[in-house]
Structures are given as C-alpha cells and as structure tokens.
Amino acid sequence: MQSRRKFIRGAAFSWSALSIPMLSFAKKAAVTKPIVVSTWDSGLAVNAEAWKVLGKSGKAIDAVEVAANSIENTINCCVGLGGNPDRDGKVTLDACIMDEKANCGSVAFLEKIKNPISVARKVMEKTPHVMLVGEGAQQFALENGFTKESGALSADAEKTYKEWLKKSEYKPVMNIEQQQIKAKKGHGPFAPNYFEDGSFNHDTMGTIALDNSGDLSGACTTSGMGFKMRGRVGDSPIIGAGLFVDNEIGAATSSGQGEEVIRVCGTHLVVEMMRAGKTPKEACKIAVERIIKINPEKARDFQVGFIAINKNGEYGAYSIQPGFSYSVTKADDGGKVYMAESHFAKK
Ligand code: GLY
C-alpha cells in the first residue's frame, strides 16, 4: 500500500505536472504598442509628432526627441526659448532624455540654444557623462553644430516679465493654467493651456513612449519656473526626478514644482512602484502622496503631476491639484486628452 507521505508527494507532483501546460495557456496581458503619453493637453500636438516616428515602427528614443523638439520650436510657447525668463530676464533651459538601455543625457541652465533635448541626446551619445550645465553645456552644443540664438525674450515673455518686475515677488503660481483660462479663451477638451493663438502656458513638456519593438524611452524639456533665481535648476533635467525609464518595467515623467519632485526622486519612485506591481496610476498616486506627506500644508499651494506607462502600454497619471491634463496617442486617431485624478480633487 502506498504510504501517506508517498501519496501526498505523488499528488503534489501530478498537480504541478498538470499546472505546467495550464500555465502555458495562461492569458498574457495584451500589449498596447506603440503608444505615446505626454503631459498636458498641449501634449496632443507633441504626440502627433512622435506618432510620425512610432506609426512607422520607428524607435521610441527618436519619437520622444522629435516630440520635444516640436514644442521647443513653437514660438509662443513657455517650453524652450519662448518661455518665461529668470529674475534677471534671461531664459535658461533644462532637458533630459533616456532610452531603453538606460543611456541618458541631460543639460541644465543652458542659454541661447533652441533645442536643449537634442543637446541632451548628444551628451548621451557622444560623451562619457550624463549631465552638462551652463556655459559648458552651451560650449558643447556649439561644438556639435547647434546655433547660438540672440537670447531675446518672446513677445509674451517680455510682457509677462515687465508685469512681474512691478512687484518682483518670488511666488510660483500654482495651476497657472486654471487662472489663465479665465483671462484667455482656450480650446480642446479641457481647454486650460492651449490657446486659440497657438500659445501654451506650461513650462514643462514630458513625453514617454513605447515603440513597436516594445522598447521604452522618454524626454523632458522645460524653461523651468518663471522668474526663478538665476542658476536655479528644477526636476526636468534630473534623471529619476523629472524623467525615468526602465525598459523592463515602465517610464514616468513629471510636471509642476520641480523642487518637490526632486525631494522624493519622483519618477524613479513611480517606476519602482510599478515594479512592485502597482498600475501606472496607482504608482503616480503613491509618488504624489509621498510629496504631500512631507509637508501636507505646503502641498496645498503647489502643483505636481506625474504620468506613467508600463511595459504593456498601460498608462496613468495623478496630480496634487485638480487641473493636470495629459495626452495619450496609441493609434491613428489623433489621440485623446484626459484629466488626471488629483489628491485635492474638487468636491
Ligand atoms: N518642473 C519644471 C521645473 O520645476 O522647473
């Protein structure tokens, strides 16, 4: 007669033998690719540029670069040289880029160069470094074929700067898009930050993409917080703060008050939470709540928003304040704009 122990061992063996073919039939999560997600509703136009690459089975790294270039080249735009200046009246740019192999490049406090994201890509590809700043970054850009621009403020920035000079108060404006919509008629599904005259009022554009080969990349470009102290650098050029990509897991980028994102290594945290099994939205929410926990009272006065995608092309976002929109393009349908859920949601 079979002993009880033998029987149990035998039963366990038969069950695991049975489960092997069952596992191989287990339904794999459907992968949505290619897909591109950008911050804000102005991200819709940016995604359209990325789609020109992704839609032809191009690489995510090329897609996110052209996407960032498109907004940097938009004249009436707060991203790039058209953005608001620092307290001294000078526009300084920050950007970073990261590919599927964890190659990354970054520039900060860069002046008079039109496409900081492309300089960041050159840092990634042509130097042993990750980050170049200030004069050194400019010198590197000029040595690599970029042109030195005049440094003149855009008409919009000039006007805003003159207005700011009247009080010269350093006070970051939370959810400026919500305030500007009152003054200027917007369009689009949520309409806060993309105006009839083609101008945008956001200073940061983050774009993350999954290409047809299943590779992830991201780019983040900004003129930074308007009227910042000279030399101030935010989260956007900091890998792990404004942008992080892990090709096994997912990618995330941020917009909002950079200091608060740096404090928690925001996008690295989002990706690590996805690694731990959270959905992109849950991961973004955890990062937002980490920021709020540090200073719950102060958090009522600033905005931070995260967007994320995972390896399956699932996406999500979360912000501190209501008003953070994001754009998703995953087919030739022109894309869609969504409003992120937020911690201080309107009741
Ligand atoms: N998130 C952009 C900045 O703080 O500069």
Side-chain angles (χ1 to χ4, degrees):
M1 208 176 94
Q2 214 176 11
S3 74
R4 185 178 145 76
R5 188 180 295 172
K6 250 190 181 166
F7 172 77
I8 290 171
R9 217 190 293 140
F13 175 78
S14 346
W15 175 247
S16 62
L18 262 179
S19 67
I20 290 168
M22 279 174 75
L23 271 180
S24 67
F25 284 119
K27 213 176 156 194
K28 275 192 176 171
V31 179
T32 304
K33 60 181 184 180
I35 181 169
V36 55
V37 185
S38 291
T39 50
W40 306 110
D41 37 345
S42 39
L44 212 49
V46 165
N47 285 358
E49 294 303 314
W51 198 258
K52 290 179 188 166
V53 177
L54 294 173
K56 291 181 191 141
S57 294
K59 284 179 70 64
I61 188 68
D62 297 325
V64 296
E65 184 186 7
V66 298
N69 281 163
S70 72
I71 199 149
E72 288 168 346
N73 293 341
T74 305
I75 293 167
N76 280 327
C77 174
C78 290
V79 174
L81 289 176
N84 283 328
D86 63 16
R87 291 174 179 195
D88 294 11
K90 297 194 167 77
V91 176
T92 68
L93 305 178
D94 301 336
C96 75
I97 191 161
M98 190 164 187
D99 75 6
E100 77 281 3
K101 292 181 180 141
N103 295 313
C104 43
S106 160
V107 289
F109 193 46
L110 176 64
E111 293 181 85
K112 300 184 181 172
I113 301 289
K114 203 173 179 181
N115 292 123
I117 203 72
S118 296
V119 184
R121 185 163 179 180
K122 285 264 189 300
V123 172
M124 172 174 99
E125 289 175 345
K126 290 192 146 194
T127 80
H129 308 305
V130 166
M131 190 168 197
L132 293 178
V133 306
E135 272 179 34
Q138 192 191 64
Q139 184 186 322
F140 172 78
L142 297 176
E143 284 164 6
N144 282 278
F146 292 83
T147 308
K148 194 168 181 177
E149 308 291 334
S150 72
L153 296 186
S154 67
D156 271 4
E158 178 91 51
K159 208 166 124 201
T160 320
Y161 182 53
K162 278 188 181 146
E163 202 50 42
W164 179 81
L165 280 174
K166 288 180 188 163
K167 286 189 181 165
S168 301
E169 255 178 8
Y170 182 64
K171 198 172 172 217
V173 183
M174 178 185 69
N175 259 350
I176 190 168
E177 71 278 5
Q178 297 298 329
Q179 301 183 21
Q180 289 204 357
I181 192 174
K182 289 182 192 150
K184 214 171 172 186
K185 196 172 170 294
H187 66 86
F190 300 106
N193 68 320
Y194 183 22
F195 299 116
E196 301 288 358
D197 65 1
S199 67
F200 304 85
N201 73 348
H202 273 289
D203 56 31
T204 306
M205 178 58 63
T207 299
I208 43 183
L210 177 69
D211 64 25
N212 228 0
S213 309
D215 285 328
L216 289 156
S217 289
C220 187
T221 184
T222 189
S223 57
M225 193 182 279
F227 321 119
K228 59 196 172 189
M229 286 176 72
R230 184 139 180 83
R232 180 264 186 191
V233 170
D235 60 325
S236 302
I238 311 290
I239 299 293
L243 174 73
F244 195 68
V245 177
D246 183 323
N247 206 42
E248 283 183 4
I249 305 298
T253 187
S254 62
S255 187
Q257 195 153 314
E259 284 76 3
E260 310 309 323
V261 179
I262 292 172
R263 238 182 274 290
V264 298
C265 299
T267 54
H268 183 259
L269 176 58
V270 172
V271 172
E272 287 309 301
M273 288 299 105
M274 290 194 284
R275 192 192 307 280
K278 303 294 179 192
T279 66
K281 181 181 152 190
E282 287 166 352
C284 292
K285 187 172 183 215
I286 287 168
V288 159
E289 283 168 354
R290 186 77 61 88
I291 290 173
I292 295 168
K293 196 174 172 198
I294 291 170
N295 197 332
E297 279 316 304
K298 204 173 135 206
R300 293 188 172 276
D301 295 330
F302 59 77
Q303 173 68 305
V304 169
F306 292 101
I307 59 171
I309 52 176
N310 66 16
K311 200 64 180 164
N312 292 330
E314 295 159 331
Y315 56 86
Y318 205 80
S319 61
I320 297 182
Q321 312 291 342
F324 177 55
S325 58
Y326 64 104
S327 303
V328 180
T329 303
K330 56 185 173 184
D332 290 317
D333 62 357
K336 282 201 177 104
V337 177
Y338 299 90
M339 188 60 84
E341 279 181 33
S342 60
H343 182 84
F344 294 117
K346 279 185 196 138
K347 294 280 182 282

